[in-house]
Structures are given as C-alpha cells and as structure tokens.
Amino acid sequence: MGVNGIGKSTLLRTLGRIQPELKGKITLDEKPLDEYAVKQLSRKIGVVLTEPLSTRNITVSELIALGRQPYTNWIGSLSTTDREHIKEVIMLMGLDSLKDKKCFELSDGQLQKALIARALAQDTDLLLLDEPTTHLDLYHKVQILKTLQQVAHKTRKIIIFTTHELDLAIQLCDRMLIIGPNSQYFGEPCELIAQKNFDTLFPSDLVRFDASTGTFKIQ
C-alpha cells in the first residue's frame, strides 16, 4: 500500500517480469528472475492486472481454461488433469452457476472473480494482483479479498496485491508493505500499528490513523 504514484503497480509488474527492473535484481527460488524462460516462469507466477480483456465473447469456463496454457500441448488440448483442475477452481471461486455465461454478461465483481480463477488455474506458487477490488462496491470488495485470504491459507500460495482498501487490508492481510517516498515498512498489521508506521502514510492535515480502531479518520 501507498499513495498514488508511489510505485505500487511498478513494483508488482516488475515482480512479474512484465517490465524490467529500474534498479537492483529479483530472484525467485534463488534464481535470477530474468534467467527464467517464459513458459517456465508462467508455471511459477500468475498475474492479474487492471487491463481489460481483449475479448469478452468467451465463456467463464473458457476464460479460466486459458490459465492451463503453460501445461497444454502445442495445439492447446486440455487433458483430464487440466479439466479437473479447472473444475476445482470454479468451485473454489463460487463460479459454478456462471461457468457457461459469456464474460460480457458478467458484473464487474463476477468478472474479477473469473480473472482471479484463471490465474488460480495456472496453479503457480505465487499470485500477483494489481488492485483487484477497483470499481467494486464494498460487499464485493470484501468478498474478493476474503476469498483471496481463504485461497492463500487453504492452498499455501503466496498472494501479493496492491490496494487502496487500507482498512480492509489491515483486517485481512497476513503481512503488509507500506511504501513511502523515503522509507518502507514491512510486517504484520498489528506490528505496523504498534510501530506507528501507518501514521506516516498520508499528510496529517486531512486524515489520521486511529490505532485503537485500526482505521483512518477524517480530521
């Protein structure tokens, strides 16, 4: 988390090797990220960005099946294992009733769940999401983030996401990274609260962090 323009999306896209490092080096499993072949990396990292789908004229099942591309043969045929994995992800994300709907028929919240399901079908140990709750109402924000928390704990995957939903993130995240212009803080939410790290996130003239409730208050 951090203010607009601080570099959250840049960091996420760099971790996913969508853009080159501005500085330093990134390693994954003790191997430099830039030494992975594309197909090899696609079995390690799944990514969900804010860019719109190139086409919405496919079904939810077809969209999720695209996540199996790193494992299919050269003509893209799905094996029994692939189909079973897709079925498991559909049930995990609560998309069974929507699996045959076209993506253009979905609400923003439903489409976001389908995009996350596609990434989960990729079956990577690391999942990166850029502001997965953008444009959603409060209920669907909580639903998406709660689902991500359950997936992380159930499957033992590492899920990293950028967000402006600070109050929700404090309640649901296991660890958080606060990015500031001159310093960064990383740890469990309770540790960051105790160390008053959230107090430095915004200028104090309009908002302040209330440590007793774990929320930001308008001055």
Side-chain angles (χ1 to χ4, degrees):
M1 61 167 52
V3 299
N4 288 337
I6 200 67
K8 301 184 300 298
S9 295
T10 298
L11 174 59
L12 195 83
R13 294 169 69 90
T14 306
L15 292 175
R17 212 178 75 179
I18 296 166
Q19 64 184 66
E21 302 96 329
L22 298 175
K23 185 179 181 181
K25 285 291 180 183
I26 299 172
T27 60
L28 178 63
D29 293 334
E30 301 182 357
K31 178 180 176 179
L33 199 65
D34 55 11
E35 292 184 9
Y36 282 91
V38 173
K39 188 167 185 177
Q40 186 183 25
L41 192 63
S42 69
R43 296 187 179 192
K44 292 281 188 179
I45 302 176
V47 182
V48 181
L49 300 177
T50 54
E51 283 83 353
L53 280 174
S54 57
T55 177
R56 291 194 177 192
N57 196 31
I58 57 174
T59 66
V60 170
S61 292
E62 289 169 340
L63 174 63
I64 295 171
L66 293 175
R68 298 303 297 168
Q69 190 173 6
Y71 308 95
T72 57
N73 57 31
W74 66 277
I75 58 174
S77 298
L78 296 172
S79 67
T80 301
T81 300
D82 292 325
R83 295 185 187 280
E84 283 298 318
H85 200 81
I86 292 166
K87 184 178 179 180
E88 289 175 6
V89 169
I90 287 173
M91 297 304 295
L92 178 67
M93 294 298 294
L95 292 169
D96 190 56
S97 63
L98 301 173
K99 63 184 179 182
D100 296 321
K101 281 187 173 291
K102 297 282 190 178
C103 289
F104 67 77
E105 299 178 289
L106 305 180
S107 69
D108 288 341
Q110 291 168 337
L111 180 60
Q112 190 66 15
K113 289 179 72 173
L115 290 169
I116 293 171
R118 179 185 63 180
L120 289 173
Q122 212 171 317
D123 196 25
T124 58
D125 292 330
L126 177 60
L127 183 59
L128 307 175
L129 304 102
D130 193 12
E131 298 190 28
T133 57
T134 300
H135 307 310
L136 303 183
D137 60 47
L138 179 59
Y139 177 84
H140 286 97
K141 290 178 192 290
V142 174
Q143 186 184 53
I144 290 291
L145 295 182
K146 188 69 176 176
T147 299
L148 290 175
Q149 183 194 53
Q150 292 168 348
V151 168
H153 291 174
K154 183 177 180 179
T155 66
R156 309 303 298 170
K157 296 180 185 299
I158 297 173
I159 298 179
I160 301 174
F161 67 96
T162 64
T163 185
H164 289 291
E165 313 301 334
L166 308 185
D167 295 350
L168 296 180
I170 288 171
Q171 296 179 66
L172 292 170
C173 291
D174 297 305
R175 293 179 179 83
M176 301 176 69
L177 172 65
I178 300 174
I179 304 176
N182 302 309
S183 57
Q184 294 79 42
Y185 305 101
F186 179 73
E188 296 179 8
C190 58
E191 296 173 342
L192 299 176
I193 292 173
Q195 295 166 7
K196 300 184 182 301
N197 297 138
F198 290 106
D199 297 355
T200 65
L201 195 55
F202 300 113
S204 58
D205 57 328
L206 290 179
V207 293
R208 66 177 179 83
F209 184 73
D210 185 347
S212 63
T213 61
T215 60
F216 287 86
K217 303 290 187 181
I218 298 175
Q219 292 281 55

